[in-house]
Amino acid sequence: MGASKLFMFDQRINEVARIAKVLAHPARISILKYISEQDGCICNDLVDEIGLSQATISQHLTVIGNEGLLKGTFTGKKKSYCLNIERFEELQMLLNSFLNKTKSNCC
Amino acid sequence: MGASKLFMFDQRINEVARIAKVLAHPARISILKYISEQDGCICNDLVDEIGLSQATISQHLTVIGNEGLLKGTFTGKKKSYCLNIERFEELQMLLNSFLNKTKSNCC
DNA sequence: TCGTAATATTGCAATATTACGATATTGTGA
DNA sequence: TCACAATATCGTAATATTGCAATATTACGA
C-alpha cells in the first residue's frame, strides 16, 4: 500500500526520477527561473515574487538544494542563492541521457 | 493549506512541471525504459518485469499516457504500447528549453 | 453464448508532498 | 547587550500520490 517501493528499482532509474522530482513542482521551476534571471537572489525576494509564504519557499529551496543545485553565500544577514551550474548541467545530462536512450528505438 | 496553488504560476511553468512529474517516479521511468527496449510491449509484461500489481502498472500507464507519450494499439486482446516519439521529443525540447535558459546566466 | 485472458476502473489504505503559522536561529547595527 | 531583520525549522492540516484487492470491461476462441 501507499508509496515507496523505490528500493526495487535500480540506482540509475531512481536517480532520474529524483532529478525529475525537483522539477516536478511549478514553485521550484519558478524559483530556478527567478534565481537564474537575477544572477543571485534572496529568499525574501522569492517570497514577494512567487507569493508563497517564507516557510514554504525555504522548504522548496531545501528540496532544490538537496540535489546539489544551489550555492548559497551569506552576505550579511541575507543569503544569496545561485545555481550550481556544474551540478545543474550534470543533471541535465543525466536526464537527456535517459531520454535519448529511450527514444532511440521504437515501433 | 496543502497543495495546489498551481493556478498562480504561468502556463509555461506549469507545463514544465507537469512534464517533469511524469518522470518523477521510478516505476514510470522503468516503464518508459522497458517499452523502448521492447519495441512495443504489453501491460502484463510490465507487471512481471517491474513487480508491481497490474492495477498499479495500469495506473502509471495512464499517467504517462495523459501527457500524450503513448500510442497503444490493440492486437487481439492484448494491448501494445509504444512511445509517441513526436510527443516525447516535444517534451524533451520543452524541458531542455527551460533548462538551457535557466543555466545561461549565473553568478 | 460462455469462459477466459488482458486491461481498466473503483474504492480505499498508507505515504508523501505542499503550505503555512509559530518559533528558533543567526547575524547586524544601535 | 538588545531589538530587529532574514532565513530555517517544527508542528500540523490539507491535498496528492502510490499501491493493491476487488470488480468491471473488452475481446477472443471454443
Side-chain angles (χ1 to χ4, degrees):
Chain A
M1 319 72 213
S4 58
K5 286 213 164 182
L6 307 193
F7 62 87
M8 63 194 310
F9 300 102
D10 82 25
Q11 217 195 343
R12 183 94 180 162
I13 286 174
N14 281 324
E15 194 174 21
V16 174
R18 237 179 38 240
I19 294 169
K21 203 169 272 189
V22 174
L23 304 175
H25 194 286
R28 292 195 288 272
I29 298 289
S30 296
I31 288 172
L32 288 169
K33 182 161 138 57
Y34 187 70
I35 289 182
S36 80
E37 281 166 356
Q38 298 313 313
D39 222 64
C41 80
I42 284 140
C43 186
N44 250 336
D45 293 357
L46 288 169
V47 173
D48 297 341
E49 177 72 13
I50 296 183
L52 294 171
S53 76
Q54 183 267 323
T56 302
I57 294 292
S58 184
Q59 215 173 225
H60 281 303
L61 283 169
T62 300
V63 173
I64 298 171
N66 282 343
E67 276 304 313
L69 283 171
L70 296 176
K71 286 187 283 195
T73 47
F74 272 107
T75 55
K77 50 191 155 187
K78 297 194 172 185
K79 191 163 186 178
S80 272
Y81 281 108
C82 68
L83 284 184
N84 181 350
I85 291 291
E86 294 75 31
R87 179 65 176 151
F88 193 86
E89 287 186 330
E90 190 182 330
L91 295 194
Q92 185 177 13
M93 270 168 42
L94 279 166
L95 253 184
N96 277 312
S97 155
F98 166 74
L99 294 173
N100 290 332
K101 210 174 299 170
T102 298
K103 78 183 176 193
S104 62
N105 23 15
C106 183
C107 45
Chain B
M1 310 85 208
S4 57
K5 286 212 163 183
L6 308 192
F7 61 85
M8 62 194 313
F9 300 102
D10 81 24
Q11 216 195 343
R12 183 94 179 161
I13 286 175
N14 281 324
E15 195 174 20
V16 174
R18 237 179 38 239
I19 294 168
K21 203 169 272 188
V22 175
L23 305 175
H25 194 285
R28 291 195 288 272
I29 297 290
S30 296
I31 288 172
L32 288 168
K33 181 161 140 55
Y34 186 72
I35 288 182
S36 79
E37 281 166 357
Q38 296 316 312
D39 222 67
C41 80
I42 284 141
C43 185
N44 249 337
D45 293 357
L46 288 168
V47 174
D48 297 339
E49 176 73 13
I50 296 184
L52 294 170
S53 77
Q54 183 267 323
T56 302
I57 295 291
S58 185
Q59 216 172 226
H60 282 301
L61 283 168
T62 300
V63 173
I64 298 171
N66 282 344
E67 277 304 313
L69 284 170
L70 295 177
K71 286 188 284 194
T73 48
F74 273 106
T75 56
K77 49 192 156 187
K78 298 192 173 188
K79 192 164 187 179
S80 273
Y81 282 108
C82 68
L83 284 184
N84 181 350
I85 291 291
E86 295 75 31
R87 180 65 176 151
F88 194 86
E89 288 186 330
E90 190 183 329
L91 296 193
Q92 186 177 13
M93 270 169 41
L94 279 166
L95 253 185
N96 278 311
S97 155
F98 166 73
L99 294 173
N100 289 332
K101 211 174 298 168
T102 298
K103 77 183 177 191
S104 61
N105 23 17
C106 183
C107 44

